Amino acid sequence: MWWLRAAQDGDGNAANALGALHAERGETQTAERWYRAALDAGDDNGAYNLGLLCAEQGRTAQAEQWYRRAAYAGHREAANALAILLLQGGDTSGAEPWFSKAAEAGSVDAAFNLGILHAGRGEAPAALRWYERAAAAGHTEAALQVGIARLREGDEREAERHLRCAAGGGSSEAAYRLATVLDARRPPEPAHELGEVVHEKTECEEWYERAASQGHRRAQVRVGMLAAARGDVVEAARWYRAAAEAGSRNGAFNLGLLLAREGASRRRRSGGRGPLTRGTGGRRCGWPSSTRVAANWPRGRSGPTGRWCSGPRRLRSGRGGCGTRCGRSCRRDRGHSPPIDLLPRASLT
């Protein structure tokens, strides 16, 4: 009610807020009317939000017009969205200046996207500079990319610092890579005076488990291996199964191996005969002695291969953004990213 009263009195912020509210309800015509009212009141967010609305409806030409209007007025997120739209249409040369303009105006997402652009061209030093700039502003995926680059350079201390930032920001890939760094330093587990191994959960295991709980397949395999090493067959099977159901061949192999060994062990305890194999002359066939492991980290390009980062959606106030960044819609590492979607998405925040 108060937004309506303020918007009717010519308040552009209130008109934008009403537009975003109606857009979330699917009432696009009403939303467009309030966005236009915001623009008429001098709020550049109105043009940006109209661009978002048109892009969501597939009206690309109109979206580009609204983005340009807001971008020329200095709206940094509109400039970033315009660059993404141009990239989607194959106009890389036209997109880069808008990414640069948005980044220089303070768009963290645009800085990250410039890193992606340079990485795609094989310009690693330039990509790293933009990733570092975005990471310094708190961009989770940029911190991950800086961590990966530092690992490749052998600077483990800086790599760990950036991976911790990214993992703390919710990146499962960063949590997994941080765990592998800590795992490589882990000393042998101390033994009980009677020879029994005393297990205490280490920091690297905690990071593996965090990544695994977020659906990271390689982390799930590793957590399963650690559980199997402790003799916790149920826990190992649970993680192997989770990885296998998510498409991990190593998880499927290790689960099958674990179940086969347990079956053989039960048969031995019950006095039954173990399995036979052809060509052995009736001799018992030993089970494979090794477990497939997940690689410490994937090989490949330094740049992520998932999404462009599109920033906040519908804005209610301020110039060029509402202060939030979108981590979900950033480009992610291969194997852990949602389907590619180059268009900005909306939010009331």
Side-chain angles (χ1 to χ4, degrees), residues 7 10-12 15-16 31-43 46 50:
D11 189 295
N16 265 315
E32 184 171 345
R33 179 166 61 86
W34 284 114
Y35 287 151
R36 287 180 181 274
L39 184 60
D40 292 339
D43 192 332
L50 281 166

Side-chain angles (χ1 to χ4, degrees), residues 305-325:
T305 57
R307 294 185 165 206
W308 296 96
C309 193
S310 56
R313 289 169 71 196
R314 303 184 179 95
L315 303 181
R316 285 182 285 194
S317 62
R319 186 177 184 84
C322 59
T324 61
R325 290 187 294 276

Side-chain angles (χ1 to χ4, degrees), residues 265-285:
S265 177
R266 284 195 296 271
R267 283 191 291 273
R268 283 196 298 272
R269 288 195 297 268
S270 64
R273 294 178 59 81
L276 302 179
T277 184
R278 294 179 182 176
T280 62
R283 291 179 285 109
R284 301 183 194 280
C285 176

